[in-house]
Amino acid sequence: MEFIKVTEQYQPAIALIQLNRPKELNALNPQLMGEVRDALQQLDKNDEVKVIIITGNDQAFAAGADIKQMADKSAIDMQIMDQFSTWDQIRKTKKPIIAAVSGFALGGGCEFVMTCDMVIASETAKFGQPEIKIGTIPGAGGTQRLTKAVGKAKAMELILTGRFLSAQEAHFYGLVNKVVPVEMYMHKAVELAKEIAQMSPVAVQLAKEAINRSFETQLDEGLMFERKNFYLTFASEDQKEGMKAFIEKRKPVFKGK
């Protein structure tokens, strides 16, 4: 891996992917995203890993896409390159992903954050879709995910002006889960990951799938999908153990089966 660092046992049951192009403020190029996709696919297969954290560094999660690689491309070039098919594969990751964000998360960086399931932000984090300022629009889901996260009016304002959101504003609008001092954002991400890692891996993955489906379907279809996954948990040993432990007033021991 040239542009990311992967620690499969960063903490017990928790893996870490760190974007590692510091000189470019972790600008996202196709190779980096391909490495992230490959790492996530590998971690999805690792039964020891329950939760994945993705981060950059204190200065930037990712300051955007690598514009130098796109500037001279034609519309046909971009379609043939099909760079967003990698993002589609990343979106299919089954295990929960927490983004630990400090500094810039702009353009593709903001879109990458929004493909994650939860976001812990440092007080220095800045989010935005400034593509309009270079004559284009978000292409990796920004117009869709940002609108669902913050609402139509605010998404219109942010995307049509290219204005940034502070960490506090992002929290107010529901884009991030928690804002903490810069020296605490990784600690809080690990804290959240540890809490989730204690739960049934089967139930966690089915719940993630059902929640994501709510963004992709009409309500009726989403409700039916949720119901199917709810019933499916009753085929797991974890469900039996969880309910038995509740009745017996003890802590459950989940095995991911």
Side-chain angles (χ1 to χ4, degrees), residues 165-240:
L165 280 179
S166 69
Q168 290 75 15
E169 287 176 305
H171 182 258
F172 175 80
Y173 286 108
L175 193 62
V176 308
N177 295 77
K178 191 182 290 288
V179 178
V180 297
V182 67
E183 63 270 17
M184 291 291 292
Y185 75 101
M186 279 302 299
H187 173 77
K188 286 297 181 182
V190 169
E191 200 174 77
L192 177 59
K194 285 182 176 178
E195 188 174 357
I196 295 167
Q198 295 178 42
M199 307 303 170
S200 161
V202 176
V204 165
Q205 290 185 34
L206 289 171
K208 169 176 170 168
E209 187 182 27
I211 292 166
N212 282 337
R213 185 58 64 97
S214 75
F215 287 92
E216 300 161 359
T217 61
Q218 297 298 318
L219 180 60
D220 286 348
E221 186 180 345
L223 288 171
M224 291 304 296
F225 189 86
E226 175 191 76
R227 198 164 302 160
K228 177 185 73 70
N229 275 9
F230 171 71
Y231 296 150
L232 194 55
T233 65
F234 283 76
S236 73
E237 293 178 19
D238 280 353
Q239 175 269 328
K240 300 294 184 290

Side-chain angles (χ1 to χ4, degrees), residues 5-252:
K5 295 179 180 179
V6 181
T7 309
E8 294 206 10
Q9 287 296 319
Y10 178 69
Q11 297 273 339
I14 300 168
L16 176 69
I17 297 175
Q18 183 175 17
L19 310 184
N20 189 37
R21 296 186 75 201
K23 291 181 180 179
E24 295 82 10
L25 295 177
N26 293 328
L28 306 177
N29 63 16
Q31 182 180 337
L32 183 151
M33 295 307 295
E35 290 179 7
V36 170
R37 174 201 59 207
D38 294 346
L40 288 171
Q41 289 176 345
Q42 189 64 37
L43 293 171
D44 245 358
K45 297 174 185 175
N46 185 343
D47 291 339
E48 298 299 314
V49 173
K50 304 294 190 296
V51 185
I52 301 162
I53 296 173
I54 298 180
T55 194
N57 55 49
D58 290 353
Q59 286 71 46
F61 178 84
D66 193 332
I67 304 303
K68 292 178 181 177
Q69 290 196 341
M70 295 188 289
D72 296 328
K73 296 285 192 295
S74 69
I76 299 301
D77 290 336
M78 293 299 289
Q79 186 167 359
I80 291 171
M81 189 164 64
D82 192 23
Q83 67 193 59
F84 299 129
S85 61
T86 303
W87 293 65
D88 293 336
Q89 292 169 302
I90 289 171
R91 186 167 55 88
K92 294 176 182 176
T93 304
K94 295 177 181 178
K95 293 176 181 175
I97 302 172
I98 300 170
V101 180
S102 186
F104 296 115
L106 306 176
C110 187
E111 289 171 305
F112 191 11
V113 167
M114 290 190 289
T115 67
C116 298
D117 303 308
M118 292 152 283
V119 185
I120 302 297
S122 85
E123 292 172 335
T124 67
K126 294 186 183 300
F127 302 86
Q129 300 291 161
E131 290 89 346
I132 202 82
K133 293 183 175 181
I134 57 170
T136 187
I137 68 171
T143 62
Q144 305 303 300
R145 292 192 179 95
L146 190 63
T147 303
K148 286 177 167 56
V150 306
K152 176 186 172 182
K154 181 54 66 173
M156 281 284 190
E157 174 193 338
L158 294 170
I159 291 172
L160 300 190
T161 66
R163 188 174 76 79
F164 299 167
L165 280 179
S166 69
Q168 290 75 15
E169 287 176 305
H171 182 258
F172 175 80
Y173 286 108
L175 193 62
V176 308
N177 295 77
K178 191 182 290 288
V179 178
V180 297
V182 67
E183 63 270 17
M184 291 291 292
Y185 75 101
M186 279 302 299
H187 173 77
K188 286 297 181 182
V190 169
E191 200 174 77
L192 177 59
K194 285 182 176 178
E195 188 174 357
I196 295 167
Q198 295 178 42
M199 307 303 170
S200 161
V202 176
V204 165
Q205 290 185 34
L206 289 171
K208 169 176 170 168
E209 187 182 27
I211 292 166
N212 282 337
R213 185 58 64 97
S214 75
F215 287 92
E216 300 161 359
T217 61
Q218 297 298 318
L219 180 60
D220 286 348
E221 186 180 345
L223 288 171
M224 291 304 296
F225 189 86
E226 175 191 76
R227 198 164 302 160
K228 177 185 73 70
N229 275 9
F230 171 71
Y231 296 150
L232 194 55
T233 65
F234 283 76
S236 73
E237 293 178 19
D238 280 353
Q239 175 269 328
K240 300 294 184 290
E241 165 65 9
M243 293 190 178
K244 184 178 180 183
F246 177 83
I247 293 168
E248 295 175 354
K249 294 182 170 59
R250 61 177 174 82
K251 188 174 180 178

